[in-house]
Amino acid sequence: MSESPASSPWPTGHRFAERTRAKHATVHALLAAGHSKRAIARQLGMGLNTVLRFSRATEPERLFTGQWQSRPSKLDAYKPYLDQRWHEGCTNAWKLWEEIKAQGYPDSYGNVRAYVSRNLRGKPQPVGRRPPTARAVTRWILTHPDALAQSDRLQLKAVLANCPELDALAEHVRSFAHMLTQLQGHQLPAWIEAATNADLPSLQRFARHLERDLDAVTAGLSQPWNSGVVEGHVNRIKMLKRQMFGRAGFELLRKRVLLYS
């Protein structure tokens, strides 16, 4: 009784498995048609010993025994941990690799990614709400609290309660947003000092960049005027230029810019 592809070491869809199955079927078809093994080897460009090995195998799955997929791996000791973390909801292969690397795993990220792709992607996820993504949390922090939906506000509160660093970052972001919307540029030096003293490297770099052009930033946070209209016109001209690239000359571009409004 032949072994089903699903239970074989190489599942259906694996490129090596499909290649082996195709060669096995071709060799046995030629043998059934009366071709000799030497003729089959010449016709398929295979070695005679390879043809003999294929001819002796009653099904292609017998040829998989002892291949690389059954060899011991440095990842074997960490697979139970990976399975557990996957069940807990951690589906990021890079994060899983970083976690087992901290535990002493000596090999590369590619092996972890391959194991996750082959063995874990099809497993069911834990029942319950998945943790919010980094993009969602960023959007919640950058949105005014009064403009957040009730569900988003509750999720953000839970996230900040479990991460003191993120809670501190959210406070700095909100104070900067208040300074920006209320045109309180005189508070900028104090904000830069507080951000520089915070144990948040990305925020510290942002604060240092503001110090490089402090007068201009302070003016932008204090004056009611801005260059938004000018930037809008520049963006419009660039869009028109890209639309006409390679199609017309400067005179037509000039007319379109003047008549666009």
Side-chain angles (χ1 to χ4, degrees), residues 1-5 7 58-62:
M1 182 176 180
S2 64
E3 185 180 8
S4 64
S7 62
T58 55
E59 58 271 335
E61 283 70 25
R62 292 185 178 275

Side-chain angles (χ1 to χ4, degrees), residues 13 36-37 53 86 94 102 140 163 190 202 204 256 258:
S36 68
K37 295 181 178 63
R53 185 162 56 88
W86 181 271
W94 184 269
W140 296 338
C163 184
S202 297
Q204 291 174 350
R256 288 200 63 185
L258 295 176

Side-chain angles (χ1 to χ4, degrees), residues 6 15 27 34 62 83 87 101 107 143 149 159 169 225 230 234:
R15 61 183 184 277
V27 169
R62 292 185 178 275
D83 294 346
H87 182 71
K101 185 180 179 182
D107 222 330
T143 303
V159 169
L169 176 63
W225 304 284
V230 176
V234 171

